[in-house]
């Protein structure tokens, strides 16, 4: 994949919906443009539509998730329920944050877009399976990355230990595949194969990510970082959309187009998530400020900055060459080096690029704008987050 130089806009690049609404720009301090008549209302309506879809998806999927987790052995059930925010560490009930349900919402909305309400209703188990698979990866990632906070509470491994967190993740993965295997829907077998292939791709992406962390800053390329991000994030979003299409009985070309739609939206999501990982507000993200920089993570903005050939890139490489020492290093200086080297602007521009490509794939599979509206709203929701 050939990229335009940092700080240079590729004239071939299509204008994405995020740029159209002034959501993602290429300059940090640029004031948002005043939207043309109707565009502000359109963006607000899309935000409300996405929120409604997420609420409806959570309401549809949560009973399936709870029923599935009730079948787990007690020790794994305890860890899983804690991870989902439905139980405190002492085992008492909690009404916590189980996440936004973006992936199950994509399954259900894709099914509805191509097959109507009946297809959506038939896809609830598949949506729950995708959510279980997603949370299996979160439990394992937290252990591998040694993240201590998720969803504004201590991560499962910090409460119950590495072994329990890993085993709970394994159990959620098994539950996901069992839900599909036991589903009498004619698409369930193809869905199970697709989810299993996706999990293998996720594992490959995680392996690449952890291997990259052991390499020197100058040894990591932007292309391999983008490929890793697609495997870790885009693959499951694409799989979610594809499963919805399968349950709607869509033809192969529409299933593949929705898979590509989800992958492109997933890359946009990851680009913005990486920006938030550096410059996000801890009160909103639930993670300490600058945690990615302290961990020397080679996120997309960081690698873009490191490969920019600028003086700030050299400064950043020097900082990243040594482990972070609390009290001795100013993380704001590291964040500023990423920004001065163009990493933040590049990531934001690339997010708009990938959203534009996602919209092209969506139009191929669902040419009716009204039918595609829910998927458009969800795709814009996940990349509309504030830092």
């Amino acid at each position: 994949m050939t990229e335009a130089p940092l700080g240079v806009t590729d004239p071939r690049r299509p204008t994405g919906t995020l740029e159209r609404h002034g959501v993602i720009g290429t300059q940090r301090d640029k004031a948002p443009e005043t939207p043309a008549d109707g565009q502000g209302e359109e963006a607000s309506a899309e935000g409300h539509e996405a929120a409604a879809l997420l609420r409806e998806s959570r309401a549809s999927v949560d009973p399936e998730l709870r029923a599935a987790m009730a079948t787990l052995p007690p020790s794994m059930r305890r860890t899983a329920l804690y991870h989902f925010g439905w139980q405190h560490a002492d085992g008492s009930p909690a009404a916590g944050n189980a996440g936004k349900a973006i992936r199950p919402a994509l399954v259900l909305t894709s099914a509805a877009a191509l097959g109507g309400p009946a297809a959506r209703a038939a896809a609830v188990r598949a949506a729950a399976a995708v959510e279980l698979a997603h949370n299996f990866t979160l439990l394992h990632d937290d252990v591998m990355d040694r993240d201590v906070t998720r969803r504004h509470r201590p991560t499962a491994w910090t409460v119950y230990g590495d072994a329990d967190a890993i085993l709970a993740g394994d159990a959620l993965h098994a539950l996901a595949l069992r839900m599909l295997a036991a589903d009498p829907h004619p698409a369930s077998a193809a869905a199970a194969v697709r989810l299993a292939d996706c999990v293998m791709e996720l594992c490959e992406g995680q392996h690449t990510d952890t291997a990259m962390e052991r390499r020197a800053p100058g040894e990591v390329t932007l292309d391999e970082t983008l490929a890793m991000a697609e495997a870790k994030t885009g693959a499951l979003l694409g799989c979610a959309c594809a499963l919805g299409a399968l349950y709607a009985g869509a033809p192969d070309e529409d299933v593949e187009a929705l898979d590509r739609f989800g992958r492109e939206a997933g890359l946009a999501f990851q680009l913005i998530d990486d920006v938030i990982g550096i410059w996000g507000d801890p009160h909103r993200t639930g993670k300490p400020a600058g945690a990615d920089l302290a961990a020397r993570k080679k996120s997309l903005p960081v690698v873009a900055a490191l490969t920019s050939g600028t003086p700030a890139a050299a400064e950043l490489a020097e900082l990243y060459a040594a482990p972070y020492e609390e009290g001795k290093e100013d993380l704001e200086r590291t964040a500023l080096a990423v920004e001065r080297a163009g990493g933040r602007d590049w990531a934001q521009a690339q997010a708009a690029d990938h959203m534009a490509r996602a919209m092209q794939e969506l139009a191929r599979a669902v040419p009716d704008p009204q039918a595609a509206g829910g998927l458009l709203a969800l795709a814009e929701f996940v990349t509309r987050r504030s830092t």
Side-chain angles (χ1 to χ4, degrees):
M1 182 179 196
T2 303
E3 307 293 347
L6 292 177
V8 177
T9 301
D10 186 341
R12 300 168 297 174
R13 181 165 59 87
T15 299
T17 52
L18 295 179
E19 290 172 309
R20 183 179 72 241
H21 294 311
V23 176
I24 291 182
T26 56
Q27 297 295 330
R28 177 187 180 188
D29 296 322
K30 181 179 179 181
E33 296 179 2
T34 302
D37 289 345
Q39 286 188 348
E41 291 82 355
E42 179 187 350
S44 176
E46 285 168 346
H48 288 306
E49 182 177 4
L53 288 169
L54 292 170
R55 285 195 302 271
E56 292 165 5
S57 297
R58 179 57 74 195
S60 297
V61 167
D62 277 3
E64 292 283 350
L65 293 173
R66 288 180 180 271
M69 282 190 276
T71 67
L72 290 173
S75 61
M76 298 172 199
R77 182 169 66 246
R78 174 194 64 176
T79 307
L81 289 172
Y82 173 83
H83 169 77
F84 271 84
W86 294 335
Q87 191 168 284
H88 293 297
D90 63 4
S92 59
N97 177 12
K100 296 182 178 67
I102 291 167
R103 290 153 191 84
L106 286 171
V107 176
L108 298 177
T109 308
S110 296
L114 289 168
R120 183 197 183 280
V124 171
R125 286 188 186 177
V130 168
E131 185 71 344
L132 288 170
H134 171 55
N135 281 276
F136 132 66
T137 68
L138 297 183
L139 280 161
H140 284 197
D141 283 0
D142 286 343
V143 173
M144 286 184 275
D145 296 341
R146 312 313 286 172
D147 285 335
V148 298
T149 306
R150 180 173 294 280
R151 297 168 183 162
H152 304 277
R153 70 200 307 227
T155 46
W157 72 267
T158 66
V159 176
Y160 301 111
D162 290 1
D164 279 10
I166 292 168
L167 291 169
D170 292 341
L172 293 185
H173 180 205
L175 276 180
L177 293 177
R178 188 178 75 183
M179 288 188 80
L180 292 175
D183 191 349
H185 193 281
S188 62
V193 171
R194 199 168 195 109
L195 184 59
D197 286 343
C198 175
V199 168
M200 285 188 278
E201 187 176 354
L202 290 168
C203 292
E204 181 183 20
Q206 179 66 8
H207 176 269
T208 301
D209 188 21
T210 55
M212 281 170 42
E213 297 307 312
R214 297 191 294 267
R215 289 158 58 187
E219 296 176 355
V220 177
T221 69
L222 199 49
D223 282 348
E224 67 180 324
T225 310
L226 282 164
M228 177 271 294
E230 180 178 348
K232 281 194 63 176
T233 304
L236 190 54
L237 293 180
C239 180
C241 296
L243 261 59
L246 285 171
Y247 271 69
D252 290 346
E253 57 268 26
D254 290 348
V255 174
E256 296 306 324
L258 277 189
D259 186 287
R260 291 191 296 270
F261 159 74
R263 284 174 179 271
E264 292 291 352
L267 271 173
F269 172 94
Q270 189 59 57
L271 284 152
I272 296 303
D273 199 58
D274 284 354
V275 169
I276 291 172
I278 298 174
W279 294 281
D281 179 354
H283 296 292
R284 302 188 66 171
T285 65
K287 294 184 177 182
D292 285 358
L293 297 178
R296 300 303 192 235
K297 290 191 72 67
K298 296 180 180 71
S299 62
L300 286 161
V302 167
V303 175
L306 286 168
T307 57
S308 66
T310 62
E315 178 187 0
L316 179 62
E318 184 179 346
L319 289 165
Y320 255 55
Y324 169 71
E325 291 187 48
E326 189 173 357
K328 290 188 177 181
E329 180 186 325
D330 182 0
L331 287 177
E332 289 186 7
R333 178 190 169 198
T334 311
L336 182 59
V338 176
E339 187 159 1
R340 285 170 46 227
R344 184 171 185 164
D345 287 350
W346 176 88
Q348 291 177 320
Q350 284 295 305
D353 279 348
H354 286 288
M355 271 296 292
R357 295 169 191 166
M359 296 306 102
Q360 292 168 358
E361 297 296 343
L362 178 59
R364 288 189 181 97
V366 192
D368 178 4
Q370 185 172 358
L375 288 169
L376 171 61
L378 288 172
E380 291 207 334
F381 173 84
V382 300
T383 52
R384 201 181 281 277
R385 296 166 300 159
S386 169
T387 59

